[in-house]
Every structure is written in C-alpha cells, then in structure tokens.
Coordinates of all heavy atoms in Angstrom, one line a residue:
D1 N -19.7 17.5 -30.2 CA -18.3 17.7 -29.8 C -17.4 16.6 -30.1 O -16.4 16.7 -30.6 CB -18.2 18.1 -28.3 CG -18.8 19.5 -28.1 OD1 -18.9 20.3 -29.0 OD2 -19.1 19.9 -26.9
F2 N -17.9 15.3 -29.8 CA -17.1 14.2 -30.0 C -16.8 13.9 -31.5 O -15.9 13.2 -31.9 CB -17.7 12.9 -29.4 CG -19.0 12.4 -30.1 CD1 -18.9 11.7 -31.2 CD2 -20.2 12.7 -29.6 CE1 -20.0 11.2 -31.9 CE2 -21.4 12.3 -30.2 CZ -21.3 11.5 -31.4
A3 N -17.7 14.5 -32.4 CA -17.5 14.3 -33.8 C -16.6 15.3 -34.5 O -16.1 15.1 -35.6 CB -18.9 14.2 -34.5
K4 N -16.5 16.4 -33.9 CA -15.7 17.5 -34.5 C -14.3 17.1 -34.9 O -13.6 16.6 -33.9 CB -15.8 18.7 -33.7 CG -17.1 19.4 -33.6 CD -17.2 20.6 -32.6 CE -18.5 21.1 -32.5 NZ -18.6 22.3 -31.5
G5 N -13.9 17.3 -36.0 CA -12.5 16.9 -36.4 C -12.3 15.6 -36.8 O -11.3 15.2 -37.4
R6 N -13.3 14.7 -36.5 CA -13.2 13.3 -37.0 C -14.3 12.8 -37.9 O -13.9 11.9 -38.7 CB -13.3 12.4 -35.7 CG -12.2 12.6 -34.6 CD -12.2 11.4 -33.6 NE -13.5 11.4 -32.9 CZ -14.1 10.2 -32.8 NH1 -13.6 9.1 -33.3 NH2 -15.3 10.2 -32.1
F7 N -15.4 13.4 -37.8 CA -16.6 12.9 -38.6 C -16.9 14.1 -39.6 O -16.7 15.3 -39.3 CB -17.8 12.7 -37.8 CG -17.7 11.5 -36.9 CD1 -16.5 10.8 -36.7 CD2 -18.8 11.1 -36.2 CE1 -16.5 9.7 -35.8 CE2 -18.8 9.9 -35.3 CZ -17.6 9.3 -35.2
T8 N -17.3 13.7 -40.8 CA -17.7 14.6 -41.8 C -19.0 14.1 -42.5 O -19.2 13.1 -42.9 CB -16.6 14.7 -43.0 OG1 -15.4 15.1 -42.4 CG2 -17.1 15.8 -44.0
I9 N -20.0 15.0 -42.3 CA -21.3 14.8 -43.0 C -21.4 15.5 -44.3 O -20.9 16.7 -44.4 CB -22.5 15.2 -42.0 CG1 -23.8 14.8 -42.6 CG2 -22.5 16.7 -41.7 CD1 -25.0 15.0 -41.6
S10 N -21.9 14.9 -45.3 CA -22.0 15.5 -46.6 C -23.2 15.0 -47.4 O -23.8 13.9 -46.9 CB -20.7 15.3 -47.4 OG -20.5 13.9 -47.7
R11 N -23.6 15.7 -48.4 CA -24.8 15.2 -49.1 C -24.4 15.1 -50.6 O -23.7 15.8 -51.2 CB -25.9 16.2 -48.9 CG -25.7 17.6 -49.5 CD -26.8 18.5 -49.1 NE -26.4 19.9 -49.6 CZ -25.7 20.7 -48.9 NH1 -25.3 20.3 -47.7 NH2 -25.3 21.8 -49.4
D12 N -25.1 14.2 -51.3 CA -25.1 14.1 -52.7 C -26.5 14.3 -53.2 O -27.3 13.3 -53.2 CB -24.6 12.7 -53.0 CG -24.3 12.5 -54.6 OD1 -25.0 13.2 -55.3 OD2 -23.6 11.7 -54.9
S13 N -26.8 15.5 -53.6 CA -28.2 15.8 -54.0 C -28.7 15.0 -55.2 O -29.8 14.6 -55.2 CB -28.3 17.3 -54.4 OG -27.9 18.1 -53.3
A14 N -27.7 14.7 -56.1 CA -28.2 13.9 -57.3 C -28.6 12.5 -56.9 O -29.4 11.9 -57.6 CB -27.0 13.8 -58.3
E15 N -27.9 12.0 -55.8 CA -28.3 10.6 -55.4 C -29.2 10.5 -54.2 O -29.5 9.4 -53.7 CB -26.9 9.9 -55.1 CG -26.0 9.8 -56.2 CD -26.5 8.8 -57.3 OE1 -27.3 7.9 -56.9 OE2 -26.2 8.9 -58.5
N16 N -29.7 11.7 -53.8 CA -30.5 11.8 -52.6 C -29.9 11.1 -51.4 O -30.6 10.3 -50.7 CB -32.0 11.2 -52.9 CG -32.8 12.2 -53.6 OD1 -32.6 13.4 -53.6 ND2 -33.8 11.6 -54.4
T17 N -28.7 11.2 -51.2 CA -27.9 10.5 -50.2 C -27.1 11.5 -49.3 O -26.5 12.5 -49.8 CB -27.0 9.5 -50.9 OG1 -27.7 8.6 -51.6 CG2 -26.1 8.7 -49.9
V18 N -27.0 11.1 -48.0 CA -26.2 11.8 -47.1 C -25.2 10.8 -46.6 O -25.5 9.7 -46.3 CB -27.0 12.3 -45.9 CG1 -26.1 12.9 -44.8 CG2 -27.9 13.5 -46.4
H19 N -24.0 11.3 -46.6 CA -22.8 10.4 -46.0 C -22.3 10.8 -44.7 O -22.3 12.0 -44.4 CB -21.7 10.4 -47.0 CG -22.1 10.0 -48.5 ND1 -22.4 8.8 -48.8 CD2 -22.3 10.8 -49.5 CE1 -22.7 8.8 -50.1 NE2 -22.7 10.0 -50.6
L20 N -21.8 9.9 -44.0 CA -21.1 10.2 -42.7 C -19.8 9.5 -42.8 O -19.7 8.3 -42.7 CB -21.9 9.8 -41.5 CG -21.2 10.2 -40.2 CD1 -21.3 11.7 -40.0 CD2 -22.0 9.5 -39.0
Q21 N -18.7 10.3 -42.9 CA -17.3 9.7 -43.0 C -16.7 9.8 -41.6 O -16.7 10.9 -41.0 CB -16.5 10.4 -44.1 CG -17.1 10.3 -45.5 CD -16.3 11.1 -46.5 OE1 -16.3 12.3 -46.3 NE2 -15.6 10.5 -47.4
M22 N -16.3 8.7 -41.1 CA -15.7 8.7 -39.7 C -14.3 8.2 -39.8 O -14.0 7.3 -40.5 CB -16.5 7.8 -38.9 CG -18.0 8.1 -38.8 SD -19.1 7.0 -37.9 CE -19.1 5.6 -39.1
R23 N -13.4 8.9 -39.0 CA -12.0 8.5 -39.0 C -11.6 8.6 -37.5 O -12.3 9.1 -36.7 CB -11.2 9.4 -39.9 CG -11.1 10.9 -39.5 CD -10.2 11.7 -40.4 NE -10.2 13.1 -40.1 CZ -9.5 13.7 -39.2 NH1 -8.6 12.9 -38.5 NH2 -9.5 15.0 -38.9
S24 N -10.4 8.1 -37.4 CA -9.8 7.9 -36.0 C -10.9 7.3 -35.0 O -11.0 7.9 -33.9 CB -9.4 9.4 -35.5 OG -8.4 9.9 -36.3
L25 N -11.4 6.3 -35.5 CA -12.5 5.6 -34.7 C -11.9 5.0 -33.4 O -10.8 4.5 -33.5 CB -13.3 4.7 -35.5 CG -14.2 5.3 -36.6 CD1 -14.6 4.3 -37.6 CD2 -15.4 5.9 -35.9
N26 N -12.7 5.0 -32.4 CA -12.3 4.3 -31.2 C -13.4 3.4 -30.7 O -14.5 3.7 -31.1 CB -11.8 5.3 -30.1 CG -12.9 6.3 -29.7 OD1 -13.9 5.9 -29.2 ND2 -12.7 7.5 -30.1
P27 N -13.2 2.5 -29.7 CA -14.3 1.6 -29.3 C -15.6 2.4 -28.8 O -16.6 1.8 -28.8 CB -13.6 0.8 -28.2 CG -12.2 0.7 -28.6 CD -11.9 2.1 -29.2
R28 N -15.4 3.6 -28.3 CA -16.5 4.4 -27.8 C -17.5 4.8 -28.9 O -18.6 5.2 -28.7 CB -16.1 5.6 -27.1 CG -15.3 5.3 -25.8 CD -15.1 6.6 -25.0 NE -14.2 7.4 -25.7 CZ -12.9 7.4 -25.8 NH1 -12.2 6.5 -25.1 NH2 -12.1 8.3 -26.5
D29 N -17.0 4.7 -30.2 CA -17.9 5.0 -31.3 C -18.7 3.8 -31.8 O -19.5 3.9 -32.7 CB -17.0 5.4 -32.5 CG -16.2 6.7 -32.2 OD1 -16.8 7.7 -31.7 OD2 -15.0 6.8 -32.6

C-alpha cells in the first residue's frame, strides 16, 4: 500500500534485470 502510486517495478528481460523506480520519497522510505 505504501508503494502504490509512488513506486514502479519493471523488468528488462533482455538484461535479466528488474528495476524499482521510487518517487516522492520520504524519510520513512
């Protein structure tokens, strides 16, 4: 719930990589 709307998880199959993009970060993160 805390990540909805602020964090985005995605994958890059060619690079065998998963990303986590985080925005509107606060000290609780």
Side-chain angles (χ1 to χ4, degrees):
D1 285 344
F2 69 80
K4 292 177 182 177
R6 297 193 302 130
F7 293 8
T8 301
I9 187 172
S10 62
R11 65 183 174 275
D12 184 336
S13 299
E15 298 292 332
N16 283 337
T17 298
V18 172
H19 304 284
L20 183 69
Q21 297 174 296
M22 303 177 286
R23 61 181 180 86
S24 300
L25 289 163
N26 60 69
R28 294 186 298 276
D29 296 314

